[in-house]
Amino acid sequence: MSPTLRPRRLRQSAPMRRLVAETRIHPAQLVLPMFVAEGLSEPRPISSMPGQVQHTLDSAAREVERAIAAGVGGIMLFGVPQQKDAVGSGATDPDGILNRATAFLAERFGDATVVQTDLCLDEFTDHGHCGVLHGDGSVDNDATLERYADMAIAQAEAGSQLLGLSGMMDGQVDHVRAALDAAGHQGTAILGYSAKYASALYGPFREAVDSSLTGDRKTYQQDPANRREGLREALLDLAEGADIVMVKPASLYLDVLADVAAASDVPVWAYQVSGEYAMVEAAAERGWIDRDRLVTESITSIIRAGADTVLTYWAVEQAEWLQTRGIGARS
């Protein structure tokens, strides 16, 4: 007897599959992470992230213009300084590379896109950790919060519209929110990197920001074995007033992302990190995969799991595909 229920009816053609797709990508759901480096006369390629560069201010402006034209929702800025010290002084210097780049881009594009900034010390410290250290080399949580408060005010005054708190210090959202409000920056939004795992996928990022990390970050970033802890961290950030919460990395933590999305009453984002990008690019370079299909499939899966927005190094390229090919989830 032939079957009565035939799910394949809804898969029989590309227009039909497009019509009934449950998950769609929109350019405004994508945020482009960008690296702006001090002392460059031209963009410097990042060898472990083919197609990505450390930008000059001028090349960053050109890339932001391209992102805006493609409909990308925002940009997330990371600074790469020439000089570092134990407390990350360059992070709070108004003339430091991150604050200078923020002011430069916010003045030109702040009405057309959301200029966002990474709020963490790791790019600016000579030891490469996300905070200041005790004498024994461990990270001092509460002293680090004071540095984060100063960073938050500096970035808000430079024109950042959204601060990405990526350091994974206990109490960081509450402390930064209080500092911003006291300084008159009640309108500056906070993105809590709530469930940020101590992942092996960050390797290429270390090159991108010229990291000087010694040791690891396992005492403050989360253990990849723990799922419930990711939700707990997100709930704490929500209680402290985060405007958006984030799961990072994305593709290996879709279970955590789904948990957070089910519990959150604010937008939930995910960061498709450098290692996720590099693996696809490396396999594509060897002809092992269909690169374009996999890029779209990977972003679709993150949104399908519950992300409202995805930080991805393919943001502009994916957005341009959406404009020219009219695709959501690839047919």
Side-chain angles (χ1 to χ4, degrees), residues 35-46:
F35 307 102
V36 183
E38 196 169 33
L40 297 184
S41 58
E42 59 184 19
R44 176 190 293 153
I46 301 167

Side-chain angles (χ1 to χ4, degrees), residues 27-204:
Q29 291 177 283
L30 307 174
V31 170
L32 177 66
M34 298 179 62
F35 307 102
V36 183
E38 196 169 33
L40 297 184
S41 58
E42 59 184 19
R44 176 190 293 153
I46 301 167
S47 64
S48 56
M49 298 177 67
Q52 301 301 307
V53 301
Q54 294 177 340
H55 283 283
T56 66
L57 291 182
D58 288 341
S59 70
R62 291 192 295 270
E63 188 67 6
V64 173
E65 287 177 341
R66 181 184 169 199
I68 291 170
V72 168
I75 58 167
M76 175 65 77
L77 298 176
F78 295 84
V80 185
Q82 289 181 300
Q83 302 296 324
K84 304 179 183 184
D85 60 28
V87 297
S89 300
T92 48
D93 182 351
D95 292 323
I97 183 59
L98 180 55
N99 295 322
R100 188 153 39 93
T102 301
F104 178 81
L105 295 172
E107 181 181 0
R108 287 158 178 77
F109 305 112
D111 292 334
T113 193
V114 181
V115 176
Q116 308 162 37
T117 43
D118 177 64
L119 197 158
C120 194
L121 287 171
D122 59 322
E123 298 104 301
F124 300 93
T125 54
D126 53 14
H127 47 73
H129 278 286
C130 298
V132 296
L133 303 183
H134 287 292
D136 63 3
S138 63
V139 175
D140 185 333
N141 190 96
D142 295 1
T144 299
L145 295 182
E146 297 305 319
R147 293 292 295 134
Y148 286 1
D150 291 343
M151 283 185 72
I153 294 169
Q155 291 181 0
E157 290 180 350
S160 178
Q161 298 159 275
L162 186 151
L163 311 182
L165 277 59
S166 62
M168 288 300 291
M169 294 297 115
D170 292 341
Q172 62 183 14
V173 171
D174 181 67
H175 201 82
V176 166
R177 181 74 273 159
L180 287 170
D181 290 353
H185 295 293
Q186 294 90 344
T188 304
I190 290 177
L191 162 65
Y193 283 51
S194 303
K196 182 179 179 181
Y197 285 83
S199 173
L201 289 170
Y202 301 140

Side-chain angles (χ1 to χ4, degrees), residues 7 18 60 69 71 78 96 99 112 124-125 131 161 164 172 199 206 243 255 263 266 272 294 327 329 331:
R18 186 170 59 245
F78 295 84
N99 295 322
F124 300 93
T125 54
Q161 298 159 275
Q172 62 183 14
S199 173
R206 306 277 162 80
D243 300 288
D255 54 340
V266 304
Q272 189 176 43
L294 186 52
I327 58 172
S331 299

